């Protein structure tokens, strides 16, 4: 079984998700924005890519979707499975690599959702091709990332201002904040054009972008997210 750095921080990450996004059933702005992009998922087959401890998988399952959560961290998957045992929603969890999705059949999902995990995946093009393969024709791919124009190597808040240092420096970097996810596990930075052109090259047409303004509650500790977008959400579709 493949491991990744999240195995070392699984309990910490689980605590962080639960405190930031609230208890199951909580209506956070971010999840509402996500479902605004996916639309009604009742009765759909959904893959939650890089599902972590399963917060989004559970959310979609409660909305009537048949959900398969995929992740490469066996410890986060164990937390997700424990939650599924305690409160069954019918979510299936699979240990697989988003760059290949070799355990998932082609054309088997109406939608793929991915929250915060794209920056953890080294080979973006392989990931996009795998997503395209498992989608049915007309299926959507929605992902949510920290905004690549404002979050990258050296970027930081200075008072209420966001400073961007090295936007074009694509590759692995680690935030200087030891208490944040990106300080602990690092991230693969890409430009906005790399993210969007890669989708199109994989056969996924771009449909909608959302840059939330002043979103709560996850940003409560940040200076002013009504001036600079911290997140970017993207909807694309298999043509
Ligand atoms: C920031 S967490 C996001 C987890 C979850 N989606 C959430 O919203 O809380 C990133 C996740 O991506 C997973 N991951 C990293 N690389 C992966 C890969 N190549 N294939 C599948 N999952 C991967 C990590 O194990 C981790 O659970």
């Amino acid at each position: 079984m493949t491991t990744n750095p999240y195995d070392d921080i699984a309990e910490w990450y689980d605590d962080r998700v639960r405190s930031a996004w609230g208890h199951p059933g909580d209506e956070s702005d971010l999840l509402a924005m996500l479902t605004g992009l996916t639309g009604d998922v009742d009765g759909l087959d959904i893959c939650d890519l890089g599902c972590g401890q399963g917060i989004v998988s559970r959310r979609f399952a409660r909305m009537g979707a048949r959900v398969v959560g995929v992740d490469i961290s066996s410890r986060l998957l164990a937390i997700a499975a424990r939650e599924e045992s305690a409160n069954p929603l019918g979510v299936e969890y699979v240990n697989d690599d988003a760059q290949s999705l070799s355990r998932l059949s082609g054309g088997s999902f109406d939608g793929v959702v991915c929250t915060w995990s794209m920056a953890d995946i080294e080979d973006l093009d392989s990931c996009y091709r795998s997503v395209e393969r498992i989608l049915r024709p007309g299926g959507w791919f929605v992902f949510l990332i920290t905004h690549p124009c404002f979050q990258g190597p050296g970027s930081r808040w200075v008072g209420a201002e966001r400073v961007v240092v090295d936007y074009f420096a694509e590759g692995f970097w680690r935030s200087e904040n030891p208490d944040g996810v990106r300080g602990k596990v690092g991230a693969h930075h890409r430009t906005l054009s790399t993210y969007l052109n890669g989708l199109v090259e994989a056969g996924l047409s771009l449909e909608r972008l959302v840059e939330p303004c002043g979103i709560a509650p996850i940003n409560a500790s940040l200076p002013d997210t009504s001036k600079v977008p911290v997140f970017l959400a993207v909807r694309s579709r298999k043509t």
Side-chain angles (χ1 to χ4, degrees):
M1 211 177 256
T2 319
T3 60
N4 82 353
Y6 283 87
D7 282 334
D8 296 331
I9 61 161
E11 283 72 26
W12 174 86
Y13 187 78
D14 181 43
D15 284 348
R16 184 181 182 279
V17 169
R18 287 173 198 276
S19 58
W21 286 20
H23 57 82
D26 186 34
E27 194 70 28
S28 80
D29 285 359
L30 278 172
L31 285 169
M33 182 188 68
L34 202 60
T35 52
L37 277 177
T38 63
D40 186 9
V41 296
D42 189 17
L44 299 187
D45 292 302
I46 304 293
C47 172
D48 179 10
L49 195 66
C51 63
Q53 52 87 283
I55 184 169
V56 172
S57 298
R58 291 188 289 279
R59 167 62 173 243
F60 279 64
R62 282 196 298 272
M63 289 163 51
R66 288 178 295 276
V67 183
V68 176
V70 174
D71 205 281
I72 209 168
S73 162
S74 47
R75 291 187 67 181
L76 279 171
L77 286 171
I79 293 171
R82 200 168 65 213
E83 189 75 37
E84 174 67 22
S85 299
N87 301 291
L89 290 165
V91 180
E92 182 190 351
Y93 290 105
V94 174
N95 191 317
D96 204 354
D97 187 335
Q99 296 163 130
S100 56
L101 296 178
S102 55
R103 297 183 61 193
L104 304 184
S105 305
S108 52
F109 292 95
D110 302 298
V112 175
V113 64
C114 182
T115 57
W116 316 122
S117 306
M118 298 303 288
D120 292 288
I121 296 165
E122 185 173 0
D123 185 344
L124 185 70
D125 291 337
S126 295
C127 173
Y128 281 159
R129 280 196 298 274
S130 302
V131 168
E132 194 272 346
R133 182 182 63 77
I134 66 168
L135 280 173
R136 297 182 176 127
W140 47 257
F141 176 38
V142 167
F143 65 85
L144 175 62
I145 52 178
T146 49
H147 202 305
C149 297
F150 304 104
Q151 169 89 354
S155 62
R156 60 191 179 277
W157 291 100
V158 176
E161 295 185 344
R162 186 72 179 168
V163 175
V164 177
V165 179
D166 232 348
Y167 173 69
F168 288 110
E170 294 198 318
F172 185 81
W173 71 288
R174 195 179 289 274
S175 146
E176 286 169 9
N177 175 10
D179 300 324
V181 177
R182 298 301 161 199
K184 291 184 188 297
V185 302
H188 297 281
H189 172 67
R190 294 137 188 148
T191 62
L192 182 62
S193 50
T194 294
Y195 269 113
L196 302 187
N197 289 337
L199 276 177
V200 177
E201 282 153 19
L204 297 159
S205 50
L206 185 60
E207 284 197 337
R208 191 162 183 82
L209 303 181
V210 177
E211 296 173 299
C213 174
I215 197 161
I218 205 164
N219 282 355
S221 60
L222 299 178
D224 192 347
T225 57
S226 64
K227 298 214 167 99
V228 174
V230 178
F231 306 117
L232 172 69
V234 178
R235 183 178 72 209
S236 60
R237 200 172 291 274
K238 178 170 177 171
T239 44

